[in-house]
């Protein structure tokens, strides 16, 4: 681990407690192989290697606690909750006393450019929270029964992780008891005055959802 006090203030929390049911695999997707390595291992190594990250916490399911503890000895491993938001909360509780900034990342997104982490941390000098996002390239429509409406693509973004916050802000949002689909939504819902912003994401930071995604990520892994 890094010993510099400024880096010790930045903690990455990797959420790896999902069951992977949508992928149709017996094994959770974060433990499937991508180019002969566990999907989880990619983001773990990226955060461990980053000079501004001082601590990496992995939140995982009870059935994989021993596995993760053995294979990722440089990380703090904690038990996940019944859903993603509960797992994030458990990760927040496990942060070291020096932590001031947290980066919440989905284990199913193995490829994170270091540039994304850099930009998120820089953005937090003036914002309470930030996340990477990319512009959609396809036409997007909103369905209403048999009718549809084209949405303005330039105003839409596909939100990725890591989603990054000042620790006290995210803890306050979680203490509200409200729920949302991600951390940015939760903070916006519970702290309307919070300053939130987005940075440019990366296509290779896609999330594994179906078997075809692994094929595409294997290509990205060879080229990025």
């Amino acid at each position: 681990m890094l010993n510099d006090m400024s880096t010790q203030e930045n903690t990455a929390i990797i959420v790896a407690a999902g069951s992977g049911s949508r992928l149709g695999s017996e094994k959770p997707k974060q433990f499937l192989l991508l180019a002969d390595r566990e999907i989880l291992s990619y983001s773990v190594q990226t955060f461990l290697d980053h000079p501004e990250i001082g601590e990496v916490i992995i939140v995982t399911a009870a059935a994989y606690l021993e596995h993760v503890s053995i294979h990722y000895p440089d990380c703090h491993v904690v038990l996940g909750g019944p859903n993603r938001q509960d797992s994030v909360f458990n990760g927040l509780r496990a942060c070291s006393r020096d932590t001031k900034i947290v980066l919440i990342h989905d284990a199913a997104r193995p490829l994170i450019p270091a540039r994304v982490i850099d930009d998120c941390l820089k953005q937090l000098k003036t914002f309470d929270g930030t996340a990477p996002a990319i512009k959609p390239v396809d036409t997007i429509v909103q369905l209403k029964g048999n009718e549809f409406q084209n949405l303005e693509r330039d105003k839409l973004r596909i939100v990725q992780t890591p989603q990054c916050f000042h620790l006290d802000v995210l803890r306050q949002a979680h203490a509200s008891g409200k729920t949302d689909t991600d951390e940015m939504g939760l903070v916006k819902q519970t702290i309307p005055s919070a300053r939130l912003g987005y940075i440019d994401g990366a296509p290779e930071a896609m999330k594994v959802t179906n078997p075809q995604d692994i094929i595409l990520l294997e290509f990205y892994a060879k080229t990025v």
Side-chain angles (χ1 to χ4, degrees), residues 77-92:
V77 182
V78 300
L79 181 64
N83 56 52
R84 185 184 184 282
Q85 190 163 314
D86 289 328
S87 293
V88 171
F89 180 68
N90 288 355
L92 294 175

Side-chain angles (χ1 to χ4, degrees), residues 51-216:
E52 293 191 64
I53 301 299
E55 176 182 41
V56 179
I57 296 171
I58 303 175
V59 187
T60 193
Y64 285 88
L65 272 175
E66 183 177 4
H67 171 89
V68 175
S69 297
I70 291 172
H71 288 84
Y72 303 95
D74 293 328
C75 302
H76 183 184
V77 182
V78 300
L79 181 64
N83 56 52
R84 185 184 184 282
Q85 190 163 314
D86 289 328
S87 293
V88 171
F89 180 68
N90 288 355
L92 294 175
R93 293 176 62 189
C95 289
S96 68
R97 295 177 60 182
D98 295 325
T99 300
K100 293 183 179 178
I101 299 293
V102 288
L103 301 87
I104 312 299
H105 185 66
D106 295 326
R109 295 184 188 272
L111 304 181
I112 323 162
R115 184 268 305 167
V116 167
I117 299 173
D118 294 340
D119 291 350
C120 280
L121 292 174
K122 289 177 183 176
Q123 187 94 327
L124 289 179
K125 294 178 180 178
T126 53
F127 284 79
D128 298 309
T130 186
I134 60 175
K135 296 180 180 180
V137 296
D138 298 314
T139 296
I140 298 179
V141 300
Q142 181 177 6
L143 299 178
K144 296 181 180 180
N146 294 326
E147 303 294 326
F148 70 89
Q149 177 183 355
N150 280 51
L151 300 179
E152 295 185 57
R153 189 168 54 191
D154 288 343
K155 295 182 179 180
L156 300 174
R157 296 294 184 272
I158 300 169
V159 182
Q160 301 175 321
T161 66
Q163 298 190 6
C164 313
F165 303 87
H166 293 274
L167 177 60
D168 57 345
V169 171
L170 193 53
R171 278 181 169 168
Q172 180 183 340
H174 273 268
S176 71
K178 297 181 179 179
T179 61
D180 214 301
T181 56
D182 69 354
E183 285 68 50
M184 290 288 278
L186 180 64
V187 172
K188 180 176 177 58
Q189 178 190 171
T190 58
I191 313 174
S193 62
R195 296 165 297 170
L196 303 176
Y198 289 96
I199 57 114
D200 289 334
E204 65 268 29
M206 60 182 287
K207 187 176 184 179
V208 176
T209 304
N210 57 62
Q212 290 74 28
D213 294 335
I214 295 179
I215 297 174
L216 181 55

